[in-house]
Amino acid sequence: NPAFFRSTLPVLPLLLVLSPVNASSCAMGNRTTEIRVKYENILSHDINELVNMSAEDRDKCCKNKINGNIKVFFCNDTEEIESLQSMACNMLRFYKKQRISKAFREKAAFVSCGTLQVLQCKCRTKKEK
Amino acid sequence: LLSMAQPGTVLSVFAMVLHTALGESGCTSADGDGTLGDDEPDNFDIDCFSQLEIKDSFSSLTCNFTELPPYNTNYTLLLCTKEDNNYACSNMKKREDVFFIQFIDILSNRDVCMYSEMKRRVCRSLVVTDIVKPEVPFAINITYEREANEYLIRYCTPHSRKKYLKDKLVHQVAYRQKEGTWKTIESPYLQIKLLGQNLENEASYEVKVRSQPNGYYFKGTWSEWSTSKSFRTAREQHSTENYSSVVMVILSILGFMLSLAMIALIVVFWENRIKPAVWPNLPDHKKTLEQLCKKPKNNFDTSFNPESFGYVHIHKVDGLWAKAELENFLQPSTAPETSLPEKFRSGSDLKMIPAMADKTNLNLPVSYEALHRLLGTSQRAATEGSCSSSTYEVCHSKRVPQHNDGFSLSSTCPLDPSGQPHPDPLNDNTVSQMLPNSDMRSPNNEEAYVTMSNFYKIQ
């Protein structure tokens, strides 16, 4: 009956709209205290080590300053978690860059994964995964 | 038919969507805790602890069974992490009766799963930062502070050079006397002090240390005890030595202050009291005599000049003469001009001559009052002219002095104008002994002078 298909056809788009959308790859809820204590006791020490290591290889990291991916690392107001998630996922992209020292890449990957773990976020693109 | 197909289709689609949504939320297991257990209870007892940064950036997990599974059962332990509905597990290495594994990520929530042939998998969740067991402290050093009588105990921990547990530990120090009971002290610092007064003197003690997370974020258990260190306490006399040293210091300060005070007193009283007492000034005999004698009146001429005694009979006393000879000496004498001793013939004699001519007015010193008495009071009455109390006239009287009962020079003390009595009063015998020389003018110049020493001899 063509009337049946006309009546059920909009259901699927409607269900797709109504179905739970995985818009945010981070866990929901107010986890400010948990994030803060994990950052202060664990993550901050690793970030400091990464900063010290990057200071030694400053020129290598910013070799191409004109076409530098500065926009990759940004922090929007009121979107701290999303900004941190984006930074961590973008930093994972440097893991395979052979120009950078292996120790630095491993440390950067460790900090990225730790950040995502603290935020309980995931990277969206398959490449970042 | 259409009315019956529409609800069925909607329900089927809805069921399909609901399954997908539940799958995204992770709630796929019946128990609801997110684990991928096979709906079997986690009835295995294991005891695990973690050690952070045990080797570079790697941390470790060590587990052992509190209740051993059946002997003939093959089992393995796995450390698993949930990732996107999947478990990422790693086998733990078996070392004798414990299972050990190293890893880097300490932020993720972990599960320890036992995999045996009998059961597929049984898991228990754990938080790595809540079962931390620190490393053993080392390098215990004991120093005795003599001044404070305290024992400073210092020690080290490997976590001082690491990231996570630095300044996040509490240390427990245990000490005891040999074969005695252990006493403990806890401190967040890497040193403590034991008071010497709480310890036995000259005794042997033993010390050991262990550590534990302070509990603010990291939690866990005590580490193993460190190697014991022995020391011997000091003797009790150290306290007395300190006391005696304090006493010595106080005495030194007091001695110094007394020395300064003595020096100041010496400087102040040197001229007035000390110097005259140590080096007294020898008295000048002339000044002393002047002080002894009374000050003459204004109209008196006090003089020791021999020329003033020109008209005074000078009696030289050679010895003690008898009274009978007294009259011989009271005979009128010749003119005194020819019998003037040679003394008076000097240049000063010219002064004496006019004085001698005037017999009525002859001023003699008060000290010769006794000489006047020696010549007798009748002489006073017999003299012609005025004879005042202040003048003496030499009268060449023939009468004997009426003083038979003797007289005392000490009553008037002519030789001592101050009025002090003389201890040896003269009697007639003495006078008679003196008189033989009363009118005698000594032919010698030296004998014509009456010196004070002669008067002292007469006395």
Side-chain angles (χ1 to χ4, degrees):
Chain A
N1 187 345
F4 169 76
F5 291 101
R6 286 199 301 273
S7 63
T8 56
L9 187 63
V11 175
L12 286 175
L14 181 62
L15 291 176
L16 288 173
V17 172
L18 294 178
S19 64
V21 177
N22 197 5
S24 176
S25 57
C26 297
M28 302 299 290
N30 187 5
R31 298 172 52 251
T32 303
T33 302
E34 180 184 352
I35 292 171
R36 180 177 58 82
V37 295
K38 286 187 176 181
Y39 167 77
E40 287 178 349
N41 290 279
I42 300 174
L43 201 59
S44 61
H45 303 294
D46 298 307
I47 292 173
N48 289 333
E49 284 187 346
L50 185 65
V51 170
N52 294 332
M53 293 175 68
S54 65
E56 297 174 357
D57 295 330
R58 189 186 302 277
D59 293 335
K60 292 182 180 179
C61 289
C62 303
K63 187 175 182 179
N64 192 0
K65 297 181 181 179
I66 297 176
N67 298 324
N69 296 323
I70 301 176
K71 64 180 180 182
V72 172
F73 306 101
F74 63 92
C75 187
N76 295 332
D77 293 337
T78 68
E79 295 181 356
E80 292 84 1
I81 292 180
E82 289 75 13
S83 300
L84 289 172
Q85 176 193 14
S86 176
M87 278 190 279
C89 295
N90 290 328
M91 197 157 56
L92 284 174
R93 292 163 50 189
F94 293 96
Y95 185 74
K96 292 185 178 180
K97 300 291 184 182
Q98 299 297 325
R99 296 179 185 178
I100 306 174
S101 64
K102 183 179 181 181
F104 182 83
R105 287 186 281 129
E106 290 178 347
K107 196 66 179 180
F110 178 78
V111 171
S112 300
C113 294
T115 302
L116 294 173
Q117 175 61 36
V118 170
L119 300 176
Q120 291 191 357
C121 296
K122 300 175 185 178
C123 295
R124 299 178 185 183
T125 60
K126 292 183 179 179
K127 195 174 184 179
E128 291 168 353
K129 289 182 181 178
Chain B
L1 180 63
L2 181 62
S3 61
M4 293 180 65
Q6 289 179 356
T9 305
V10 170
L11 287 174
S12 61
V13 172
F14 181 75
M16 185 173 60
V17 170
L18 182 64
H19 180 269
T20 304
L22 291 177
E24 288 296 328
S25 66
C27 304
T28 54
S29 60
D31 51 6
D33 59 357
T35 59
L36 294 177
D38 293 332
D39 297 333
E40 293 181 358
D42 48 345
N43 55 357
F44 68 100
D45 294 328
I46 54 173
D47 188 15
C48 300
F49 64 88
S50 62
Q51 289 183 305
L52 306 182
E53 300 177 275
I54 191 68
K55 183 178 180 182
D56 297 331
S57 299
F58 286 90
S59 300
S60 68
L61 179 68
T62 304
C63 297
N64 63 320
F65 286 97
T66 56
E67 290 183 3
L68 293 177
Y71 179 75
N72 55 355
T73 304
N74 293 326
Y75 56 92
T76 56
L77 286 181
L78 297 92
L79 182 63
C80 302
T81 306
K82 182 184 176 184
E83 292 180 0
D84 294 336
N85 299 328
N86 295 321
Y87 258 134
C89 297
S90 301
N91 290 332
M92 298 179 69
K93 297 178 181 179
K94 186 174 181 181
R95 294 177 180 178
E96 297 179 356
D97 293 332
V98 296
F99 292 86
F100 176 83
I101 189 171
Q102 289 187 349
F103 55 94
I104 295 177
D105 182 17
I106 62 173
L107 289 168
S108 302
N109 294 328
R110 304 282 189 166
D111 291 334
V112 174
C113 302
M114 183 181 72
Y115 186 79
S116 63
E117 296 178 353
M118 301 300 294
K119 300 177 181 178
R120 293 185 59 184
R121 190 162 53 193
V122 179
C123 298
R124 291 184 63 184
S125 62
L126 57 85
V127 179
V128 175
T129 55
D130 289 346
I131 53 172
V132 177
K133 183 177 182 180
E135 294 183 58
V136 180
F138 65 99
I140 297 176
N141 186 17
I142 301 164
T143 305
Y144 175 61
E145 297 180 350
R146 184 182 300 273
E147 293 78 14
N149 192 25
E150 293 176 345
Y151 296 88
L152 178 63
I153 300 174
R154 291 184 291 182
Y155 40 87
C156 301
T157 176
H159 295 281
S160 297
R161 302 185 303 269
K162 303 180 180 181
K163 298 178 298 186
Y164 301 134
L165 294 178
K166 183 179 181 181
D167 300 330
K168 291 185 173 61
L169 296 174
V170 60
H171 309 283
Q172 186 182 61
V173 177
Y175 66 97
R176 69 170 181 177
Q177 201 169 354
K178 283 295 185 182
E179 307 302 330
T181 306
W182 286 102
K183 297 180 182 178
T184 60
I185 298 176
E186 294 187 6
S187 171
Y189 307 106
L190 294 176
Q191 63 182 23
I192 64 166
K193 284 186 178 180
L194 296 180
L195 300 179
Q197 60 187 9
N198 296 335
L199 303 177
E200 294 289 335
N201 296 319
E202 291 189 278
S204 180
Y205 280 83
E206 186 181 2
V207 179
K208 59 182 181 181
V209 187
R210 64 178 181 177
S211 304
Q212 185 186 32
N214 58 11
Y216 289 111
Y217 179 76
F218 295 101
K219 302 176 183 64
T221 58
W222 288 106
S223 66
E224 299 297 329
W225 285 107
S226 65
T227 306
S228 296
K229 184 73 177 294
S230 298
F231 68 97
R232 192 169 183 82
T233 54
R235 291 181 296 178
E236 187 178 6
Q237 70 182 10
H238 288 295
S239 60
T240 58
E241 287 178 358
N242 292 334
Y243 177 75
S244 63
S245 64
V246 172
V247 171
M248 288 299 296
V249 170
I250 293 173
L251 289 177
S252 300
I253 294 172
L254 288 176
F256 179 73
M257 292 173 66
L258 284 175
S259 301
L260 290 179
M262 286 298 295
I263 292 172
L265 289 174
I266 289 172
V267 171
V268 171
F269 294 110
W270 174 257
E271 289 294 332
N272 295 331
R273 298 188 182 183
I274 297 174
K275 188 177 180 182
V278 177
W279 294 282
N281 294 325
L282 296 177
D284 186 0
H285 63 280
K286 184 176 181 180
K287 292 183 181 179
T288 303
L289 288 172
E290 290 177 354
Q291 293 176 358
L292 292 175
C293 296
K294 289 183 178 178
K295 289 185 179 181
K297 296 181 181 180
N298 293 331
N299 53 355
F300 278 119
D301 290 331
T302 304
S303 174
F304 291 93
N305 189 356
E307 296 176 355
S308 300
F309 304 102
Y311 290 93
V312 176
H313 290 284
I314 299 172
H315 302 280
K316 180 180 178 181
V317 180
D318 292 330
L320 297 177
W321 292 4
K323 181 177 180 182
E325 301 178 355
L326 180 64
E327 296 180 355
N328 295 330
F329 290 95
L330 293 179
Q331 294 299 324
S333 59
T334 56
E337 292 79 6
T338 57
S339 63
L340 279 176
E342 299 178 355
K343 289 183 183 178
F344 293 98
R345 293 176 187 172
S346 61
S348 60
D349 294 347
L350 295 176
K351 297 180 183 178
M352 291 296 296
I353 296 175
M356 293 173 63
D358 189 3
K359 298 180 179 179
T360 57
N361 295 318
L362 178 61
N363 294 327
L364 294 176
V366 178
S367 57
Y368 288 92
E369 182 179 359
L371 184 60
H372 170 72
R373 288 181 179 271
L374 184 63
L375 295 176
T377 57
S378 60
Q379 292 181 352
R380 295 182 191 167
T383 55
E384 296 178 356
S386 62
C387 293
S388 63
S389 61
S390 61
T391 61
Y392 291 89
E393 181 179 3
V394 177
C395 304
H396 299 284
S397 173
K398 297 180 180 179
R399 279 182 279 184
V400 180
Q402 297 298 321
H403 296 281
N404 293 325
D405 53 354
F407 60 90
S408 172
L409 286 175
S410 63
S411 61
T412 56
C413 301
L415 298 177
D416 186 2
S418 60
Q420 293 179 358
H422 293 275
D424 297 323
L426 291 176
N427 51 18
D428 292 341
N429 293 328
T430 306
V431 172
S432 62
Q433 292 167 4
M434 290 175 61
L435 289 178
N437 291 327
S438 61
D439 290 337
M440 184 172 147
R441 300 297 175 105
S442 171
N444 296 326
N445 293 330
E446 293 77 10
E447 296 176 353
Y449 291 95
V450 177
T451 61
M452 296 305 297
S453 60
N454 293 336
F455 281 97
Y456 276 110
K457 290 178 182 178
I458 291 172
Q459 295 175 5

